[in-house]
Amino acid sequence: MATTAAPATIYPVTFRRDPAPRIPKQSPQSLLHNSISSASSTTTITTAFPLLRLRRRGTHNADRILASVSSSSAKPKESEQMRPSPVDLVDSILSKVTQTDRGVLLTSDEHQKVAEVAQELRKFCVDKPVKCPLIFGEWDVVYCSVPTSPGGGYRSALGRLIFKTNEMIQVIQAPDTVRNKVSFCAFGFFKGQVVLEGKLKALDDKWIQVIFEPPVLTIGAFDYKYGGQSEVKLEITYVDEKIRLGKGSRGSVFVFQRR
């Protein structure tokens, strides 16, 4: 006799879906650290690196732009700091002409360097040097690019052998008196001097003209006037309490130092 099986009892099954875990926001640096430490988070590692590269690329560009702006804004300050001051230029030109027999002993290259410094000092000259009271006083002629310009034949090659120059002085007295004096020792024994006196006339704010009377030669107790009048034109290119620079009508460069 066949046995009838009892019907199976079916129990209802309820499936509950748990909510997805909330992942806290992380910075790219934390995300990269967690991605590397977890071997199973391959996808996270893949997405982390592009984020990091993007962040670095943007930061690098920003840094480069800021560096460029900072560099460009710093350049004028550096150029201003590198630009020599008038005091430095005055010291420089005096160091180049000292103990050179007023420029006679300098080479052509050294004369060029003196001219370059003199050109730089022009930029710092007062607007109207002819009217500046600093031009008055006693000045030593410490340099001339052409030896015969301030002393004539006494400063030529032959003249320097016979007349050893001791002093070259220019005195400018208000309002318009100019006196040039060259003192020397002739043949190593006889002391003498040549004096020229003239009148100063302003041609404009920078140029002056001086008309000298015939020179007076003095050796010992004897005075001798010879020759005729002479004329010079000179541009005052710089003047201060220490030095005065001039440029002759034929291009001669003069450096005068206040006594």
Side-chain angles (χ1 to χ4, degrees), residues 132-150:
C132 180
L134 290 174
I135 68 173
F136 300 112
E138 295 188 7
W139 302 89
D140 282 321
V141 183
V142 294
Y143 172 82
C144 183
S145 58
V146 180
T148 57
S149 291

Side-chain angles (χ1 to χ4, degrees), residues 2 14 37 60-61 121 136 144 204-205 217 219 231 254:
T14 303
S37 59
H60 176 71
N61 291 338
L121 275 170
F136 300 112
C144 183
D204 57 23
D205 293 335
L217 172 64
I219 298 180
E231 174 187 318
F254 293 84

Side-chain angles (χ1 to χ4, degrees), residues 105-206:
L105 303 180
L106 295 181
T107 64
S108 58
D109 290 341
E110 290 169 334
H111 279 293
Q112 180 61 33
K113 292 179 180 179
V114 173
E116 291 173 357
V117 179
Q119 185 65 27
E120 285 296 315
L121 275 170
R122 289 179 68 108
K123 302 175 183 178
F124 299 97
C125 185
V126 295
D127 291 336
K128 299 178 180 181
V130 169
K131 299 180 180 180
C132 180
L134 290 174
I135 68 173
F136 300 112
E138 295 188 7
W139 302 89
D140 282 321
V141 183
V142 294
Y143 172 82
C144 183
S145 58
V146 180
T148 57
S149 291
Y154 296 94
R155 293 291 294 167
S156 64
L158 179 60
R160 292 195 303 271
L161 291 176
I162 300 174
F163 305 97
K164 182 181 178 181
T165 305
N166 295 327
E167 289 182 327
M168 296 186 68
I169 301 172
Q170 183 178 84
V171 181
I172 304 179
Q173 295 177 331
D176 59 358
T177 300
V178 179
R179 182 182 300 108
N180 290 351
K181 183 178 74 171
V182 179
S183 62
F184 56 83
C185 184
F187 302 103
F189 300 99
F190 304 103
K191 291 184 178 181
Q193 66 179 23
V194 178
V195 177
L196 292 89
E197 292 193 8
K199 291 295 182 179
L200 181 150
K201 178 182 178 181
L203 300 178
D204 57 23
D205 293 335
K206 295 184 178 181

Side-chain angles (χ1 to χ4, degrees), residues 38-160:
S38 177
S40 61
S41 302
T42 306
T43 305
T44 307
I45 293 177
T46 304
T47 57
F49 275 104
L51 286 175
L52 184 61
R53 287 198 298 270
L54 179 60
R55 185 65 172 270
R56 285 183 176 177
R57 185 180 299 118
T59 305
H60 176 71
N61 291 338
D63 292 342
R64 183 169 56 187
I65 294 173
L66 290 175
S68 176
V69 172
S70 301
S71 177
S72 61
S73 61
K75 284 182 179 179
K77 295 182 179 179
E78 291 180 2
S79 61
E80 290 177 1
Q81 292 176 357
M82 294 176 62
R83 184 179 182 181
S85 66
V87 175
D88 295 333
L89 293 171
V90 168
D91 292 340
S92 175
I93 200 168
L94 287 178
S95 67
K96 288 176 170 55
V97 301
T98 301
Q99 297 182 348
T100 63
D101 193 12
R102 298 162 184 85
V104 172
L105 303 180
L106 295 181
T107 64
S108 58
D109 290 341
E110 290 169 334
H111 279 293
Q112 180 61 33
K113 292 179 180 179
V114 173
E116 291 173 357
V117 179
Q119 185 65 27
E120 285 296 315
L121 275 170
R122 289 179 68 108
K123 302 175 183 178
F124 299 97
C125 185
V126 295
D127 291 336
K128 299 178 180 181
V130 169
K131 299 180 180 180
C132 180
L134 290 174
I135 68 173
F136 300 112
E138 295 188 7
W139 302 89
D140 282 321
V141 183
V142 294
Y143 172 82
C144 183
S145 58
V146 180
T148 57
S149 291
Y154 296 94
R155 293 291 294 167
S156 64
L158 179 60
R160 292 195 303 271

Side-chain angles (χ1 to χ4, degrees), residues 207-208 231-235 246-254:
W207 281 88
I208 61 173
E231 174 187 318
V232 296
K233 293 181 180 180
L234 187 72
E235 179 188 9
K247 188 173 184 179
S249 56
R250 297 183 180 180
S252 302
V253 177
F254 293 84

